């Protein structure tokens, strides 16, 4: 029979600090182990393929429709000033600076983040992660570093893909409404895109990708309480991931805005 | 069924002294002392929730003790670095209660996974023959390309044992090897545990509450009562008592 003692559980504020400490420790472990051999190259490639392939259909559809809708909704306002010829550059800048990174990351947070959270969560509760530990394998390296790296690499690629598909949607709309040729459309939109836009977009996408992978892995790797814990891990991966992406978006807009003025 | 004899006491491979472990308000282990001798099968008995699995998870470094000393192959488990712990784990195999097979991998990949990560110089043909030899040892070579979800409970246990044995450990820790299996499969698993001891010269701790299994595989039996090992010895030594905490255990298994 077990003896019961009164052990005081930490308060809400203490728990928040304990969690924050855990998260930073988890991130620290990623930076420490991610760059040290042995490398899990095969698993990294598999994860890159999975993350990219898993999100491709939804991202293509969303990007294309966003391009069409954004162009259609922007036209009346520009038409008031007789500036519909600015549509290609407006769409190009909007897609590259904000819409593509944000849309791609939000979709990936939903699809990839939840999937990573559920997969690792399920591996934790079925003792598969413990089984890796006891077979003298480092599960953190195999499961966490590969997934975080894969989403950090893949999300920027998907972001530029979304921007391109969105531009095709916009081109379709502009061609049908104004009869603009593809060459004129791309010339006009690409002329207005600067090196800073591309750099800022890439950096944002890298940060968003890292966030999605890290949140999904942290939630899954540390899940508990059986199947309920798996559901919780998947859910938290999406909710926390999206919340952090919005905060990062606001901060990055302010930050890169400093270089534009 | 023939009762197994204790082996003469030789070299200690596991030494546990004054081990304490609590989870919040629950004091699970309260001053556990235990030794495992070379090439013996030690059965740890006890009711559910008495900390049997906790004990072997501490031995392999999956859990840290609150207090006490755990020496495995002359190394203090809670005082070594992570790198040293990984090296020690190569010598200690752990068979999980639910097998813990990697469900996204085939049986072959399950066995290859620990092997290639710990013996990076092996050639492809050496890996293949090691996997086939181990599957053959557990009598499941024909399942090599199957997924864990296609296997029965008993087959999963055997594959779990094969995956552990492929690293040729010196010590085996079995967590409830016969739990949830039918009597015939239980017998097969018991035979396999004895075969592993004979063929691979392992020393083992077998966690169970199945007395048939305990009698069939154990050279020595230890019973966990109120967070301590109060009764240790042969099967007869442990159960030849009027202790109310022990008698119902025997009666339930053999009389009911």
């Amino acid at each position: 029979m077990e003896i019961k003692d009164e052990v005081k559980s930490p308060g809400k504020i203490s728990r928040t600090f304990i969690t924050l400490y855990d998260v930073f420790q988890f991130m620290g472990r990623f930076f420490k182990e991610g760059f040290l051999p042995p490398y899990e190259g095969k698993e990294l490639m598999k994860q890159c393929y999975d993350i990219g392939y898993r999100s491709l259909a939804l991202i293509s559809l969303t990007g294309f429709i966003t391009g069409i809708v954004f162009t259609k909704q922007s036209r009346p306002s520009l038409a008031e000033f007789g500036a519909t010829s600015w549509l290609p550059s407006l769409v190009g800048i909007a897609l590259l600076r904000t819409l593509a990174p944000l849309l791609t990351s939000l979709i990936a947070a939903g699809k990839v983040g939840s999937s990573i959270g559920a997969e690792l969560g399920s591996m934790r509760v079925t003792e598969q992660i413990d089984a890796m530990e006891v077979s003298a394998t480092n599960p953190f390296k195999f499961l966490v570093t590969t997934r975080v790296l894969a989403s950090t690499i893949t999300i920027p690629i998907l972001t530029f893909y979304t921007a391109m598909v969105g531009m095709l949607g916009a081109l379709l709309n502009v061609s049908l409404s104004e009869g603009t040729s593809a060459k004129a459309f791309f010339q006009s939109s690409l002329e207005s895109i600067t090196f800073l836009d591309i750099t800022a977009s890439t950096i944002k996408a890298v940060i968003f990708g890292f966030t999605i992978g890290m949140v999904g892995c942290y939630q899954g790797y540390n899940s508990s309480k059986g199947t309920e814990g798996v559901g919780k891990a998947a859910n938290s991966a999406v909710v926390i991931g999206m919340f952090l992406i919005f905060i990062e978006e606001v901060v990055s807009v302010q930050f890169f805005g400093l270089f534009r003025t | 069924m023939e009762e197994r004899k204790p082996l003469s006491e030789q070299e200690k491979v596991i030494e546990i002294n004054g081990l304490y472990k609590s989870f919040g308000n629950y004091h699970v282990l309260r001053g556990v002392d235990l030794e495992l001798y070379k090439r013996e099968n030690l059965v740890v008995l006890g009711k559910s929730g008495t900390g049997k699995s906790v004990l072997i998870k501490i031995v392999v470094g999956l859990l840290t003790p609150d207090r006490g000393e755990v020496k495995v192959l002359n190394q203090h488990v809670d005082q070594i670095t992570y790198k040293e712990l990984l090296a020690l784990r190569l010598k200690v195999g752990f068979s999980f209660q639910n097998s813990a097979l990697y469900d996204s991998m085939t049986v072959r990949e399950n066995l290859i996974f620990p092997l290639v990560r710990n013996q990076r110089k092996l050639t492809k043909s050496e890996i293949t023959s090691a996997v086939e030899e181990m599957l053959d040892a557990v009598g499941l070579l024909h399942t090599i390309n199957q997924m864990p979800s296609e296997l029965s409970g008993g087959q999963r246990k055997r594959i779990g044992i094969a995956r552990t044995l492929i690293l040729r450990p010196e010590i085996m820790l079995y967590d409830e090897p016969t739990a949830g299996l039918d009597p015939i499969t239980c017998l097969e698993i018991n035979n396999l545990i004895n075969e592993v001891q004979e063929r691979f010269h392992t020393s083992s701790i077998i966690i169970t509450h199945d007395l048939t299994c305990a009698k069939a595989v154990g050279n020595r039996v230890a019973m966990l009562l109120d967070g301590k090992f109060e009764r240790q010895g042969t099967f007869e030594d442990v159960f030849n008592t009027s202790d109310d905490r022990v008698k119902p255990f025997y009666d339930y298994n053999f009389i009911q």
Side-chain angles (χ1 to χ4, degrees):
Chain A
M1 202 199 335
E2 296 88 5
I3 298 175
K4 269 192 168 185
D5 276 353
E6 277 307 309
V7 176
K8 238 184 164 180
S9 55
K12 210 172 179 182
I13 296 172
S14 308
R15 273 207 308 270
T16 310
F17 280 108
I18 291 169
T19 309
L20 272 175
Y21 174 76
D22 268 359
V23 170
F24 281 112
Q25 214 178 24
F26 195 78
M27 272 170 64
R29 196 172 169 195
F30 165 78
F31 285 113
K32 193 177 144 200
E33 296 193 2
F35 302 102
L36 288 175
Y39 303 110
E40 294 285 354
K42 211 171 158 190
E43 180 64 12
L44 175 65
M45 294 304 287
K46 181 182 171 287
Q47 289 303 324
C48 284
Y49 175 77
D50 275 0
I51 291 172
Y53 183 74
R54 232 185 266 159
S55 322
L56 209 58
L58 194 56
I59 279 176
S60 304
L61 186 71
T62 315
F64 193 71
I65 289 171
T66 304
I68 295 174
V69 173
F70 185 75
T71 313
K72 200 169 167 57
Q73 299 288 358
S74 307
R75 184 176 290 107
S77 308
L78 290 177
E80 272 185 41
F81 303 99
T84 45
S85 60
W86 287 3
L87 261 176
S89 43
L90 174 74
V91 175
I93 288 172
L95 274 171
L96 194 67
R97 281 189 190 174
T98 294
L99 289 175
L102 204 57
L103 278 175
T104 309
S105 306
L106 291 177
I107 289 169
K111 285 214 67 129
V112 178
S114 63
S115 150
I116 291 175
E119 188 184 4
L120 297 198
S122 143
M123 288 185 78
R124 169 64 74 196
V125 300
T126 55
E127 296 181 308
Q128 291 177 53
I129 294 180
D130 286 344
M132 284 184 186
E133 283 267 9
V134 296
S135 62
T137 306
N138 184 343
F140 193 92
K141 198 176 256 298
F142 180 75
L143 298 171
V144 177
T145 54
T146 52
R147 279 160 179 78
V148 176
L149 275 176
S151 70
T152 310
I153 294 166
T154 317
I155 301 300
I157 297 168
L158 287 174
T159 294
F160 285 104
Y161 172 78
T162 310
M164 197 187 75
V165 174
M167 295 281 274
L168 290 177
L171 169 66
L172 179 73
N173 187 277
V174 170
S175 305
L176 291 175
S177 305
E178 277 97 24
T180 310
S181 70
K183 192 182 169 192
F185 175 86
F186 281 113
Q187 205 165 16
S188 170
S189 58
L190 292 177
E191 265 174 11
S192 55
I193 292 169
T194 63
F195 179 71
L196 179 62
D197 292 328
I198 296 170
T199 312
S201 191
T202 310
I203 293 172
K204 272 203 299 190
V206 165
I207 294 170
F208 293 164
F210 177 78
T211 304
I212 292 163
M214 193 50 84
V215 172
C217 286
Y218 178 79
Q219 293 298 329
Y221 201 78
N222 295 300
S223 77
S224 55
K225 295 177 187 166
T227 45
E228 186 197 338
V230 178
K232 236 176 168 179
N235 188 27
S236 312
V238 178
V239 176
I240 298 171
M242 285 185 174
F243 177 70
L244 289 176
I245 286 168
F246 282 123
I247 291 176
E248 286 163 359
E249 173 66 18
V250 172
V251 172
S252 63
V253 163
Q254 297 296 320
F255 178 75
F256 290 113
L258 295 174
F259 298 94
R260 290 201 169 93
T261 50
Chain B
M1 185 188 357
E2 201 183 318
E3 191 186 328
R4 302 193 85 207
K5 299 266 183 302
L7 301 177
S8 58
E9 290 190 2
Q10 327 158 32
E11 190 187 330
K12 288 175 189 169
V13 288
I14 294 179
E15 240 184 302
I16 298 170
N17 294 310
L19 185 71
Y20 285 79
K21 180 70 185 173
S22 307
F23 294 97
N25 296 329
Y26 291 99
H27 299 263
V28 183
L29 301 178
R30 285 180 274 143
V32 165
D33 298 310
L34 189 74
E35 286 99 28
L36 176 70
Y37 297 99
K38 201 166 186 177
R39 294 198 187 175
E40 80 162 339
N41 276 354
L42 169 68
V43 172
V44 171
L45 289 167
K47 284 199 299 181
S48 298
T50 49
K52 304 186 298 291
S53 300
V54 170
L55 177 72
I56 54 170
K57 283 184 178 173
I58 290 174
V59 167
V60 82
L62 281 177
L63 293 172
T64 47
D66 297 338
R67 202 153 33 111
E69 186 189 62
V70 181
K71 265 169 84 179
V72 178
L73 298 168
N74 291 320
Q75 282 186 284
H76 288 269
V77 175
D78 54 335
Q79 290 170 18
I80 55 178
T81 63
Y82 185 63
K83 212 175 166 183
E84 287 166 338
L85 183 62
L86 287 182
L88 182 64
R89 281 172 176 166
L90 277 175
K91 299 173 192 164
V92 185
F94 195 112
S95 167
F96 286 84
Q97 185 174 352
N98 298 314
S99 313
L101 297 181
Y102 311 132
D103 50 19
S104 59
M105 300 181 195
T106 61
V107 167
R108 181 199 304 270
E109 289 163 344
N110 261 278
L111 268 73
I112 287 177
F113 185 86
L115 190 64
V116 295
R117 278 164 183 80
N118 289 297
Q119 295 177 27
R120 291 185 180 262
K121 285 177 185 163
L122 289 180
T123 63
K124 261 188 176 176
S125 62
E126 285 171 331
I127 292 168
T128 306
S129 64
V131 168
E132 287 177 356
E133 184 197 343
M134 214 42 74
L135 284 175
D136 196 35
V138 297
L140 287 174
L141 186 55
H142 61 283
T143 64
I144 192 162
N145 292 317
Q146 284 181 253
M147 297 300 285
S149 58
E150 297 168 329
L151 305 173
S152 69
Q155 285 177 322
R156 278 204 289 270
K157 294 255 181 185
R158 283 167 170 268
I159 300 294
I161 293 170
R163 184 181 63 185
T164 307
L165 284 173
I166 204 162
L167 295 174
R168 304 284 173 151
E170 293 174 34
I171 299 170
M172 279 293 289
L173 306 172
Y174 298 92
D175 192 2
E176 304 274 10
T178 57
L181 300 177
D182 63 86
I184 305 292
T185 314
C186 283
L187 272 178
E188 288 171 8
I189 295 289
N190 293 344
N191 291 338
L192 179 62
I193 292 172
N194 287 333
E195 273 170 39
V196 166
Q197 184 193 24
E198 296 292 322
R199 185 169 165 185
F200 299 98
H201 310 300
T202 53
S203 322
S204 310
I205 295 181
I206 300 111
I207 300 289
T208 188
H209 47 228
D210 172 3
L211 295 197
T212 315
C213 169
K215 210 168 183 179
V217 303
N219 299 112
R220 200 154 59 89
V221 176
M223 189 144 194
L224 199 54
L225 294 164
D226 300 334
K228 285 180 189 171
F229 285 111
E230 289 190 10
R231 302 194 67 80
Q232 288 191 46
T234 63
F235 191 85
E236 288 302 318
D237 292 341
V238 171
F239 286 100
N240 192 8
T241 175
S242 55
D243 190 331
D244 284 344
R245 296 168 305 168
V246 180
K247 249 181 93 48
F249 214 89
Y250 184 88
D251 294 348
Y252 181 82
N253 272 267
F254 290 112
I255 296 173
Q256 196 182 14

